[in-house]
PDB file of all heavy atoms in Angstrom:
ATOM      1  N   ILE A  97      -0.599  -4.922   3.708  1.00 96.00           N
ATOM      2  CA  ILE A  97      -0.960  -4.742   5.116  1.00 96.00           C
ATOM      3  C   ILE A  97       0.263  -4.972   6.008  1.00 96.00           C
ATOM      4  O   ILE A  97       0.478  -4.236   6.981  1.00 96.00           O
ATOM      5  CB  ILE A  97      -2.140  -5.659   5.509  1.00 96.00           C
ATOM      6  CG1 ILE A  97      -3.427  -5.118   4.888  1.00 96.00           C
ATOM      7  CG2 ILE A  97      -2.279  -5.771   7.024  1.00 96.00           C
ATOM      8  CD1 ILE A  97      -4.627  -6.016   5.031  1.00 96.00           C
ATOM      9  N   ALA A  98       1.094  -5.943   5.669  1.00 96.00           N
ATOM     10  CA  ALA A  98       2.321  -6.174   6.439  1.00 96.00           C
ATOM     11  C   ALA A  98       3.236  -4.947   6.354  1.00 96.00           C
ATOM     12  O   ALA A  98       3.851  -4.550   7.351  1.00 96.00           O
ATOM     13  CB  ALA A  98       3.042  -7.415   5.929  1.00 96.00           C
ATOM     14  N   LYS A  99       3.300  -4.314   5.184  1.00 97.00           N
ATOM     15  CA  LYS A  99       4.113  -3.104   5.032  1.00 97.00           C
ATOM     16  C   LYS A  99       3.513  -1.937   5.819  1.00 97.00           C
ATOM     17  O   LYS A  99       4.247  -1.122   6.385  1.00 97.00           O
ATOM     18  CB  LYS A  99       4.254  -2.733   3.555  1.00 97.00           C
ATOM     19  CG  LYS A  99       5.132  -3.709   2.785  1.00 97.00           C
ATOM     20  CD  LYS A  99       5.234  -3.325   1.331  1.00 97.00           C
ATOM     21  CE  LYS A  99       6.112  -4.306   0.576  1.00 97.00           C
ATOM     22  NZ  LYS A  99       6.284  -3.942  -0.832  1.00 97.00           N
ATOM     23  N   ILE A 100       2.195  -1.861   5.854  1.00 97.00           N
ATOM     24  CA  ILE A 100       1.529  -0.817   6.641  1.00 97.00           C
ATOM     25  C   ILE A 100       1.834  -1.018   8.122  1.00 97.00           C
ATOM     26  O   ILE A 100       2.178  -0.064   8.830  1.00 97.00           O
ATOM     27  CB  ILE A 100       0.008  -0.808   6.367  1.00 97.00           C
ATOM     28  CG1 ILE A 100      -0.275  -0.326   4.943  1.00 97.00           C
ATOM     29  CG2 ILE A 100      -0.723   0.051   7.398  1.00 97.00           C
ATOM     30  CD1 ILE A 100      -1.713  -0.504   4.491  1.00 97.00           C
ATOM     31  N   ASP A 101       1.728  -2.251   8.584  1.00 98.00           N
ATOM     32  CA  ASP A 101       2.042  -2.551   9.990  1.00 98.00           C
ATOM     33  C   ASP A 101       3.497  -2.190  10.308  1.00 98.00           C
ATOM     34  O   ASP A 101       3.792  -1.660  11.378  1.00 98.00           O
ATOM     35  CB  ASP A 101       1.778  -4.020  10.312  1.00 98.00           C
ATOM     36  CG  ASP A 101       0.287  -4.354  10.367  1.00 98.00           C
ATOM     37  OD1 ASP A 101      -0.531  -3.428  10.552  1.00 98.00           O
ATOM     38  OD2 ASP A 101      -0.051  -5.542  10.217  1.00 98.00           O
ATOM     39  N   ALA A 102       4.411  -2.467   9.380  1.00 98.00           N
ATOM     40  CA  ALA A 102       5.827  -2.134   9.589  1.00 98.00           C
ATOM     41  C   ALA A 102       6.012  -0.619   9.665  1.00 98.00           C
ATOM     42  O   ALA A 102       6.798  -0.122  10.479  1.00 98.00           O
ATOM     43  CB  ALA A 102       6.676  -2.725   8.464  1.00 98.00           C
ATOM     44  N   ALA A 103       5.269   0.129   8.847  1.00 98.00           N
ATOM     45  CA  ALA A 103       5.361   1.595   8.883  1.00 98.00           C
ATOM     46  C   ALA A 103       4.854   2.133  10.224  1.00 98.00           C
ATOM     47  O   ALA A 103       5.451   3.047  10.795  1.00 98.00           O
ATOM     48  CB  ALA A 103       4.570   2.200   7.722  1.00 98.00           C
ATOM     49  N   ILE A 104       3.778   1.553  10.727  1.00 98.00           N
ATOM     50  CA  ILE A 104       3.252   1.975  12.031  1.00 98.00           C
ATOM     51  C   ILE A 104       4.275   1.670  13.126  1.00 98.00           C
ATOM     52  O   ILE A 104       4.495   2.491  14.023  1.00 98.00           O
ATOM     53  CB  ILE A 104       1.889   1.302  12.317  1.00 98.00           C
ATOM     54  CG1 ILE A 104       0.834   1.833  11.332  1.00 98.00           C
ATOM     55  CG2 ILE A 104       1.458   1.533  13.763  1.00 98.00           C
ATOM     56  CD1 ILE A 104      -0.472   1.071  11.327  1.00 98.00           C
TER      57      ILE A 104
END
Side-chain angles (χ1 to χ4, degrees):
I97 287 172
K99 290 179 180 182
I100 291 170
D101 288 339
I104 293 169

